[in-house]
mmCIF file of all heavy atoms in Angstrom:
data_model
loop_
_atom_site.group_PDB
_atom_site.id
_atom_site.type_symbol
_atom_site.label_atom_id
_atom_site.label_comp_id
_atom_site.label_asym_id
_atom_site.label_seq_id
_atom_site.Cartn_x
_atom_site.Cartn_y
_atom_site.Cartn_z
ATOM 1 N N LEU E 154 -22.365 177.066 -1.873
ATOM 2 C CA LEU E 154 -21.731 175.758 -1.681
ATOM 3 C C LEU E 154 -20.210 175.821 -1.777
ATOM 4 O O LEU E 154 -19.522 175.390 -0.841
ATOM 5 C CB LEU E 154 -22.298 174.739 -2.664
ATOM 6 C CG LEU E 154 -21.663 173.345 -2.627
ATOM 7 C CD1 LEU E 154 -21.790 172.738 -1.243
ATOM 8 C CD2 LEU E 154 -22.287 172.434 -3.677
ATOM 9 N N PRO E 155 -19.639 176.343 -2.879
ATOM 10 C CA PRO E 155 -18.165 176.399 -2.916
ATOM 11 C C PRO E 155 -17.579 177.277 -1.821
ATOM 12 O O PRO E 155 -16.497 176.980 -1.299
ATOM 13 C CB PRO E 155 -17.857 176.951 -4.317
ATOM 14 C CG PRO E 155 -19.128 177.569 -4.788
ATOM 15 C CD PRO E 155 -20.224 176.810 -4.147
ATOM 16 N N LEU E 156 -18.276 178.358 -1.460
ATOM 17 C CA LEU E 156 -17.784 179.218 -0.386
ATOM 18 C C LEU E 156 -17.805 178.474 0.945
ATOM 19 O O LEU E 156 -16.835 178.528 1.720
ATOM 20 C CB LEU E 156 -18.634 180.487 -0.302
ATOM 21 C CG LEU E 156 -18.256 181.485 0.804
ATOM 22 C CD1 LEU E 156 -16.813 181.942 0.647
ATOM 23 C CD2 LEU E 156 -19.216 182.684 0.785
ATOM 24 N N ALA E 157 -18.892 177.763 1.220
ATOM 25 C CA ALA E 157 -18.997 176.996 2.472
ATOM 26 C C ALA E 157 -17.922 175.926 2.552
ATOM 27 O O ALA E 157 -17.282 175.742 3.593
ATOM 28 C CB ALA E 157 -20.387 176.364 2.572
ATOM 29 N N VAL E 158 -17.696 175.208 1.440
ATOM 30 C CA VAL E 158 -16.696 174.142 1.416
ATOM 31 C C VAL E 158 -15.295 174.713 1.619
ATOM 32 O O VAL E 158 -14.481 174.152 2.376
ATOM 33 C CB VAL E 158 -16.779 173.368 0.083
ATOM 34 C CG1 VAL E 158 -15.566 172.460 -0.092
ATOM 35 C CG2 VAL E 158 -18.063 172.549 0.027
ATOM 36 N N ALA E 159 -15.000 175.842 0.971
ATOM 37 C CA ALA E 159 -13.667 176.441 1.083
ATOM 38 C C ALA E 159 -13.379 176.892 2.512
ATOM 39 O O ALA E 159 -12.309 176.602 3.064
ATOM 40 C CB ALA E 159 -13.546 177.618 0.109
ATOM 41 N N VAL E 160 -14.333 177.599 3.124
ATOM 42 C CA VAL E 160 -14.118 178.100 4.486
ATOM 43 C C VAL E 160 -14.050 176.940 5.468
ATOM 44 O O VAL E 160 -13.219 176.937 6.392
ATOM 45 C CB VAL E 160 -15.229 179.090 4.882
ATOM 46 C CG1 VAL E 160 -15.019 179.584 6.309
ATOM 47 C CG2 VAL E 160 -15.254 180.279 3.930
ATOM 48 N N GLN E 161 -14.898 175.934 5.281
ATOM 49 C CA GLN E 161 -14.883 174.781 6.182
ATOM 50 C C GLN E 161 -13.565 174.021 6.062
ATOM 51 O O GLN E 161 -13.015 173.559 7.075
ATOM 52 C CB GLN E 161 -16.057 173.852 5.870
ATOM 53 C CG GLN E 161 -16.218 172.716 6.862
ATOM 54 C CD GLN E 161 -17.518 171.958 6.662
ATOM 55 O OE1 GLN E 161 -18.367 172.359 5.877
ATOM 56 N NE2 GLN E 161 -17.676 170.853 7.353
ATOM 57 N N ALA E 162 -13.046 173.890 4.848
ATOM 58 C CA ALA E 162 -11.769 173.207 4.651
ATOM 59 C C ALA E 162 -10.637 173.948 5.352
ATOM 60 O O ALA E 162 -9.770 173.329 5.989
ATOM 61 C CB ALA E 162 -11.475 173.070 3.160
ATOM 62 N N VAL E 163 -10.643 175.265 5.253
ATOM 63 C CA VAL E 163 -9.616 176.076 5.921
ATOM 64 C C VAL E 163 -9.660 175.845 7.432
ATOM 65 O O VAL E 163 -8.626 175.617 8.083
ATOM 66 C CB VAL E 163 -9.803 177.570 5.587
ATOM 67 C CG1 VAL E 163 -8.951 178.447 6.507
ATOM 68 C CG2 VAL E 163 -9.435 177.838 4.134
ATOM 69 N N LEU E 164 -10.857 175.900 8.000
ATOM 70 C CA LEU E 164 -11.013 175.708 9.445
ATOM 71 C C LEU E 164 -10.577 174.306 9.871
ATOM 72 O O LEU E 164 -9.843 174.144 10.861
ATOM 73 C CB LEU E 164 -12.465 175.954 9.845
ATOM 74 C CG LEU E 164 -12.804 175.736 11.326
ATOM 75 C CD1 LEU E 164 -12.078 176.748 12.207
ATOM 76 C CD2 LEU E 164 -14.312 175.814 11.552
ATOM 77 N N LEU E 165 -11.009 173.283 9.137
ATOM 78 C CA LEU E 165 -10.702 171.913 9.523
ATOM 79 C C LEU E 165 -9.219 171.593 9.397
ATOM 80 O O LEU E 165 -8.664 170.869 10.226
ATOM 81 C CB LEU E 165 -11.533 170.933 8.679
ATOM 82 C CG LEU E 165 -13.043 170.940 8.931
ATOM 83 C CD1 LEU E 165 -13.738 169.935 8.035
ATOM 84 C CD2 LEU E 165 -13.357 170.646 10.391
ATOM 85 N N VAL E 166 -8.568 172.133 8.370
ATOM 86 C CA VAL E 166 -7.127 171.911 8.229
ATOM 87 C C VAL E 166 -6.383 172.540 9.403
ATOM 88 O O VAL E 166 -5.478 171.931 9.984
ATOM 89 C CB VAL E 166 -6.618 172.476 6.886
ATOM 90 C CG1 VAL E 166 -5.092 172.545 6.874
ATOM 91 C CG2 VAL E 166 -7.115 171.621 5.729
ATOM 92 N N GLY E 167 -6.763 173.756 9.771
ATOM 93 C CA GLY E 167 -6.135 174.409 10.920
ATOM 94 C C GLY E 167 -6.320 173.620 12.196
ATOM 95 O O GLY E 167 -5.364 173.406 12.961
ATOM 96 N N LEU E 168 -7.540 173.151 12.445
ATOM 97 C CA LEU E 168 -7.810 172.363 13.651
ATOM 98 C C LEU E 168 -7.096 171.017 13.607
ATOM 99 O O LEU E 168 -6.602 170.534 14.630
ATOM 100 C CB LEU E 168 -9.315 172.151 13.797
ATOM 101 C CG LEU E 168 -10.143 173.382 14.178
ATOM 102 C CD1 LEU E 168 -11.637 173.070 14.112
ATOM 103 C CD2 LEU E 168 -9.768 173.876 15.577
ATOM 104 N N ALA E 169 -7.036 170.407 12.428
ATOM 105 C CA ALA E 169 -6.367 169.115 12.305
ATOM 106 C C ALA E 169 -4.883 169.228 12.634
ATOM 107 O O ALA E 169 -4.321 168.374 13.342
ATOM 108 C CB ALA E 169 -6.549 168.572 10.884
ATOM 109 N N LEU E 170 -4.235 170.266 12.136
ATOM 110 C CA LEU E 170 -2.815 170.476 12.433
ATOM 111 C C LEU E 170 -2.600 170.718 13.923
ATOM 112 O O LEU E 170 -1.670 170.172 14.532
ATOM 113 C CB LEU E 170 -2.278 171.656 11.619
ATOM 114 C CG LEU E 170 -2.218 171.461 10.101
ATOM 115 C CD1 LEU E 170 -1.876 172.767 9.410
ATOM 116 C CD2 LEU E 170 -1.201 170.387 9.733
ATOM 117 N N LEU E 171 -3.474 171.528 14.493
ATOM 118 C CA LEU E 171 -3.350 171.866 15.914
ATOM 119 C C LEU E 171 -3.560 170.645 16.802
ATOM 120 O O LEU E 171 -2.756 170.342 17.689
ATOM 121 C CB LEU E 171 -4.362 172.962 16.248
ATOM 122 C CG LEU E 171 -4.263 173.635 17.614
ATOM 123 C CD1 LEU E 171 -2.987 174.446 17.717
ATOM 124 C CD2 LEU E 171 -5.478 174.539 17.833
ATOM 125 N N LEU E 172 -4.638 169.917 16.556
ATOM 126 C CA LEU E 172 -5.006 168.798 17.421
ATOM 127 C C LEU E 172 -4.068 167.606 17.264
ATOM 128 O O LEU E 172 -3.726 166.940 18.246
ATOM 129 C CB LEU E 172 -6.445 168.365 17.112
ATOM 130 C CG LEU E 172 -7.537 169.386 17.437
ATOM 131 C CD1 LEU E 172 -8.877 168.930 16.886
ATOM 132 C CD2 LEU E 172 -7.631 169.614 18.941
ATOM 133 N N SER E 173 -3.650 167.326 16.025
ATOM 134 C CA SER E 173 -2.793 166.161 15.794
ATOM 135 C C SER E 173 -1.455 166.308 16.506
ATOM 136 O O SER E 173 -0.936 165.335 17.078
ATOM 137 C CB SER E 173 -2.580 165.945 14.296
ATOM 138 O OG SER E 173 -1.940 167.073 13.701
ATOM 139 N N ALA E 174 -0.886 167.518 16.478
ATOM 140 C CA ALA E 174 0.403 167.736 17.136
ATOM 141 C C ALA E 174 0.278 167.672 18.655
ATOM 142 O O ALA E 174 1.070 167.019 19.337
ATOM 143 C CB ALA E 174 0.985 169.077 16.707
ATOM 144 N N TRP E 175 -0.729 168.337 19.185
ATOM 145 C CA TRP E 175 -0.886 168.351 20.640
ATOM 146 C C TRP E 175 -1.265 166.981 21.188
ATOM 147 O O TRP E 175 -0.927 166.634 22.316
ATOM 148 C CB TRP E 175 -1.937 169.382 21.044
ATOM 149 C CG TRP E 175 -1.382 170.770 21.114
ATOM 150 C CD1 TRP E 175 -1.597 171.793 20.242
ATOM 151 C CD2 TRP E 175 -0.490 171.286 22.121
ATOM 152 N NE1 TRP E 175 -0.897 172.914 20.625
ATOM 153 C CE2 TRP E 175 -0.215 172.635 21.773
ATOM 154 C CE3 TRP E 175 0.091 170.749 23.258
ATOM 155 C CZ2 TRP E 175 0.624 173.441 22.550
ATOM 156 C CZ3 TRP E 175 0.926 171.539 24.023
ATOM 157 C CH2 TRP E 175 1.184 172.869 23.666
ATOM 158 N N ASN E 176 -1.960 166.170 20.391
ATOM 159 C CA ASN E 176 -2.371 164.849 20.872
ATOM 160 C C ASN E 176 -1.179 163.918 21.068
ATOM 161 O O ASN E 176 -1.236 163.003 21.894
ATOM 162 C CB ASN E 176 -3.367 164.219 19.899
ATOM 163 C CG ASN E 176 -3.978 162.941 20.442
ATOM 164 O OD1 ASN E 176 -4.533 162.933 21.532
ATOM 165 N ND2 ASN E 176 -3.865 161.864 19.683
ATOM 166 N N VAL E 177 -0.108 164.136 20.325
ATOM 167 C CA VAL E 177 1.092 163.322 20.513
ATOM 168 C C VAL E 177 1.711 163.604 21.879
ATOM 169 O O VAL E 177 2.190 162.696 22.568
ATOM 170 C CB VAL E 177 2.114 163.605 19.393
ATOM 171 C CG1 VAL E 177 3.423 162.852 19.656
ATOM 172 C CG2 VAL E 177 1.545 163.206 18.043
ATOM 173 N N LEU E 178 1.682 164.881 22.273
ATOM 174 C CA LEU E 178 2.322 165.289 23.518
ATOM 175 C C LEU E 178 1.402 165.124 24.723
ATOM 176 O O LEU E 178 1.866 164.921 25.847
ATOM 177 C CB LEU E 178 2.772 166.750 23.405
ATOM 178 C CG LEU E 178 3.689 167.065 22.213
ATOM 179 C CD1 LEU E 178 4.004 168.540 22.158
ATOM 180 C CD2 LEU E 178 4.962 166.237 22.279
ATOM 181 N N MET E 179 0.087 165.239 24.482
ATOM 182 C CA MET E 179 -0.891 165.092 25.565
ATOM 183 C C MET E 179 -2.046 164.229 25.058
ATOM 184 O O MET E 179 -2.911 164.733 24.335
ATOM 185 C CB MET E 179 -1.409 166.465 26.024
ATOM 186 C CG MET E 179 -0.363 167.355 26.648
ATOM 187 S SD MET E 179 -1.063 168.881 27.325
ATOM 188 C CE MET E 179 -1.738 169.632 25.826
ATOM 189 N N ARG E 180 -2.064 162.970 25.414
ATOM 190 C CA ARG E 180 -3.065 162.036 24.875
ATOM 191 C C ARG E 180 -4.478 162.338 25.377
ATOM 192 O O ARG E 180 -5.447 161.763 24.860
ATOM 193 C CB ARG E 180 -2.681 160.599 25.234
ATOM 194 C CG ARG E 180 -1.333 160.167 24.659
ATOM 195 C CD ARG E 180 -1.283 160.318 23.146
ATOM 196 N NE ARG E 180 0.042 160.096 22.604
ATOM 197 C CZ ARG E 180 0.494 158.924 22.177
ATOM 198 N NH1 ARG E 180 -0.282 157.854 22.235
ATOM 199 N NH2 ARG E 180 1.708 158.824 21.682
ATOM 200 N N ASP E 181 -4.597 163.224 26.348
ATOM 201 C CA ASP E 181 -5.937 163.607 26.808
ATOM 202 C C ASP E 181 -6.709 164.388 25.751
ATOM 203 O O ASP E 181 -7.937 164.498 25.839
ATOM 204 C CB ASP E 181 -5.836 164.468 28.075
ATOM 205 C CG ASP E 181 -5.369 163.662 29.282
ATOM 206 O OD1 ASP E 181 -5.530 162.439 29.243
ATOM 207 O OD2 ASP E 181 -4.848 164.262 30.231
ATOM 208 N N VAL E 182 -5.997 164.940 24.771
ATOM 209 C CA VAL E 182 -6.645 165.741 23.734
ATOM 210 C C VAL E 182 -7.691 164.916 22.994
ATOM 211 O O VAL E 182 -8.801 165.386 22.709
ATOM 212 C CB VAL E 182 -5.602 166.302 22.736
ATOM 213 C CG1 VAL E 182 -6.283 166.953 21.530
ATOM 214 C CG2 VAL E 182 -4.699 167.309 23.436
ATOM 215 N N GLU E 183 -7.369 163.660 22.689
ATOM 216 C CA GLU E 183 -8.300 162.803 21.958
ATOM 217 C C GLU E 183 -9.582 162.571 22.754
ATOM 218 O O GLU E 183 -10.691 162.640 22.211
ATOM 219 C CB GLU E 183 -7.626 161.468 21.630
ATOM 220 C CG GLU E 183 -8.473 160.566 20.760
ATOM 221 C CD GLU E 183 -7.740 159.308 20.350
ATOM 222 O OE1 GLU E 183 -6.546 159.179 20.693
ATOM 223 O OE2 GLU E 183 -8.354 158.458 19.686
ATOM 224 N N ARG E 184 -9.461 162.311 24.036
ATOM 225 C CA ARG E 184 -10.646 162.108 24.877
ATOM 226 C C ARG E 184 -11.432 163.398 25.028
ATOM 227 O O ARG E 184 -12.670 163.390 25.026
ATOM 228 C CB ARG E 184 -10.212 161.587 26.248
ATOM 229 C CG ARG E 184 -9.548 160.215 26.217
ATOM 230 C CD ARG E 184 -9.204 159.738 27.610
ATOM 231 N NE ARG E 184 -8.639 158.400 27.600
ATOM 232 C CZ ARG E 184 -7.360 158.137 27.450
ATOM 233 N NH1 ARG E 184 -6.490 159.146 27.312
ATOM 234 N NH2 ARG E 184 -6.912 156.891 27.452
ATOM 235 N N PHE E 185 -10.720 164.506 25.167
ATOM 236 C CA PHE E 185 -11.376 165.800 25.314
ATOM 237 C C PHE E 185 -12.177 166.147 24.061
ATOM 238 O O PHE E 185 -13.275 166.694 24.156
ATOM 239 C CB PHE E 185 -10.313 166.871 25.584
ATOM 240 C CG PHE E 185 -10.869 168.253 25.785
ATOM 241 C CD1 PHE E 185 -11.624 168.561 26.905
ATOM 242 C CD2 PHE E 185 -10.636 169.250 24.845
ATOM 243 C CE1 PHE E 185 -12.139 169.824 27.095
ATOM 244 C CE2 PHE E 185 -11.142 170.519 25.026
ATOM 245 C CZ PHE E 185 -11.898 170.808 26.152
ATOM 246 N N MET E 186 -11.655 165.803 22.893
ATOM 247 C CA MET E 186 -12.331 166.131 21.641
ATOM 248 C C MET E 186 -13.633 165.359 21.480
ATOM 249 O O MET E 186 -14.561 165.846 20.825
ATOM 250 C CB MET E 186 -11.415 165.861 20.451
ATOM 251 C CG MET E 186 -10.368 166.940 20.230
ATOM 252 S SD MET E 186 -11.086 168.603 20.120
ATOM 253 C CE MET E 186 -12.162 168.414 18.693
ATOM 254 N N ARG E 187 -13.725 164.188 22.060
ATOM 255 C CA ARG E 187 -14.990 163.443 21.977
ATOM 256 C C ARG E 187 -16.111 164.235 22.622
ATOM 257 O O ARG E 187 -17.240 164.284 22.103
ATOM 258 C CB ARG E 187 -14.841 162.091 22.669
ATOM 259 C CG ARG E 187 -13.861 161.147 21.984
ATOM 260 C CD ARG E 187 -13.642 159.905 22.832
ATOM 261 N NE ARG E 187 -12.539 159.092 22.315
ATOM 262 C CZ ARG E 187 -11.973 158.085 22.970
ATOM 263 N NH1 ARG E 187 -12.436 157.767 24.187
ATOM 264 N NH2 ARG E 187 -10.991 157.409 22.444
ATOM 265 N N LEU E 188 -15.820 164.871 23.740
ATOM 266 C CA LEU E 188 -16.822 165.698 24.411
ATOM 267 C C LEU E 188 -17.095 166.970 23.615
ATOM 268 O O LEU E 188 -18.259 167.356 23.434
ATOM 269 C CB LEU E 188 -16.328 166.053 25.817
ATOM 270 C CG LEU E 188 -17.175 167.058 26.604
ATOM 271 C CD1 LEU E 188 -18.572 166.508 26.833
ATOM 272 C CD2 LEU E 188 -16.500 167.395 27.927
ATOM 273 N N ILE E 189 -16.044 167.615 23.135
ATOM 274 C CA ILE E 189 -16.200 168.868 22.392
ATOM 275 C C ILE E 189 -17.038 168.658 21.136
ATOM 276 O O ILE E 189 -17.900 169.485 20.796
ATOM 277 C CB ILE E 189 -14.823 169.447 22.023
ATOM 278 C CG1 ILE E 189 -14.087 169.911 23.287
ATOM 279 C CG2 ILE E 189 -14.958 170.611 21.052
ATOM 280 C CD1 ILE E 189 -14.806 171.003 24.041
ATOM 281 N N ILE E 190 -16.828 167.548 20.443
ATOM 282 C CA ILE E 190 -17.581 167.278 19.212
ATOM 283 C C ILE E 190 -19.065 167.121 19.525
ATOM 284 O O ILE E 190 -19.925 167.617 18.777
ATOM 285 C CB ILE E 190 -17.014 166.027 18.508
ATOM 286 C CG1 ILE E 190 -15.646 166.357 17.893
ATOM 287 C CG2 ILE E 190 -17.971 165.531 17.427
ATOM 288 C CD1 ILE E 190 -14.920 165.149 17.335
ATOM 289 N N ARG E 191 -19.390 166.461 20.626
ATOM 290 C CA ARG E 191 -20.801 166.331 21.013
ATOM 291 C C ARG E 191 -21.412 167.692 21.326
ATOM 292 O O ARG E 191 -22.552 167.986 20.936
ATOM 293 C CB ARG E 191 -20.926 165.405 22.227
ATOM 294 C CG ARG E 191 -20.573 163.959 21.948
ATOM 295 C CD ARG E 191 -20.972 163.079 23.114
ATOM 296 N NE ARG E 191 -20.557 161.696 22.927
ATOM 297 C CZ ARG E 191 -19.467 161.167 23.449
ATOM 298 N NH1 ARG E 191 -18.686 161.908 24.217
ATOM 299 N NH2 ARG E 191 -19.156 159.900 23.236
ATOM 300 N N VAL E 192 -20.659 168.527 22.033
ATOM 301 C CA VAL E 192 -21.157 169.860 22.389
ATOM 302 C C VAL E 192 -21.347 170.711 21.142
ATOM 303 O O VAL E 192 -22.357 171.417 20.995
ATOM 304 C CB VAL E 192 -20.192 170.548 23.376
ATOM 305 C CG1 VAL E 192 -20.586 172.003 23.595
ATOM 306 C CG2 VAL E 192 -20.163 169.801 24.710
ATOM 307 N N LEU E 193 -20.376 170.645 20.223
ATOM 308 C CA LEU E 193 -20.443 171.469 19.017
ATOM 309 C C LEU E 193 -21.659 171.140 18.155
ATOM 310 O O LEU E 193 -22.210 172.018 17.490
ATOM 311 C CB LEU E 193 -19.166 171.292 18.192
ATOM 312 C CG LEU E 193 -17.923 172.032 18.685
ATOM 313 C CD1 LEU E 193 -16.722 171.671 17.826
ATOM 314 C CD2 LEU E 193 -18.159 173.542 18.661
ATOM 315 N N PHE E 194 -22.076 169.878 18.174
ATOM 316 C CA PHE E 194 -23.227 169.502 17.347
ATOM 317 C C PHE E 194 -24.469 170.302 17.740
ATOM 318 O O PHE E 194 -25.234 170.764 16.889
ATOM 319 C CB PHE E 194 -23.497 168.005 17.476
ATOM 320 C CG PHE E 194 -24.694 167.552 16.669
ATOM 321 C CD1 PHE E 194 -24.588 167.371 15.301
ATOM 322 C CD2 PHE E 194 -25.916 167.318 17.275
ATOM 323 C CE1 PHE E 194 -25.685 166.957 14.551
ATOM 324 C CE2 PHE E 194 -27.010 166.905 16.547
ATOM 325 C CZ PHE E 194 -26.897 166.716 15.173
ATOM 326 N N TYR E 195 -24.676 170.470 19.042
ATOM 327 C CA TYR E 195 -25.856 171.194 19.505
ATOM 328 C C TYR E 195 -25.599 172.694 19.653
ATOM 329 O O TYR E 195 -26.549 173.466 19.774
ATOM 330 C CB TYR E 195 -26.324 170.611 20.843
ATOM 331 C CG TYR E 195 -26.828 169.194 20.712
ATOM 332 C CD1 TYR E 195 -26.030 168.116 21.092
ATOM 333 C CD2 TYR E 195 -28.087 168.932 20.179
ATOM 334 C CE1 TYR E 195 -26.485 166.808 20.958
ATOM 335 C CE2 TYR E 195 -28.541 167.628 20.034
ATOM 336 C CZ TYR E 195 -27.741 166.578 20.425
ATOM 337 O OH TYR E 195 -28.196 165.282 20.270
#
Side-chain angles (χ1 to χ4, degrees):
L154 177 58
L156 179 58
V158 168
V160 179
Q161 187 170 352
V163 167
L164 178 65
L165 292 180
V166 167
L168 289 173
L170 293 171
L171 190 67
L172 294 171
S173 61
W175 278 107
N176 188 54
V177 175
L178 305 177
M179 295 186 298
R180 299 303 172 92
D181 290 338
V182 171
E183 185 175 356
R184 296 183 177 88
F185 181 68
M186 282 307 299
R187 294 173 190 168
L188 173 62
I189 292 299
I190 288 172
R191 293 191 184 98
V192 172
L193 283 176
F194 179 78
Y195 294 102

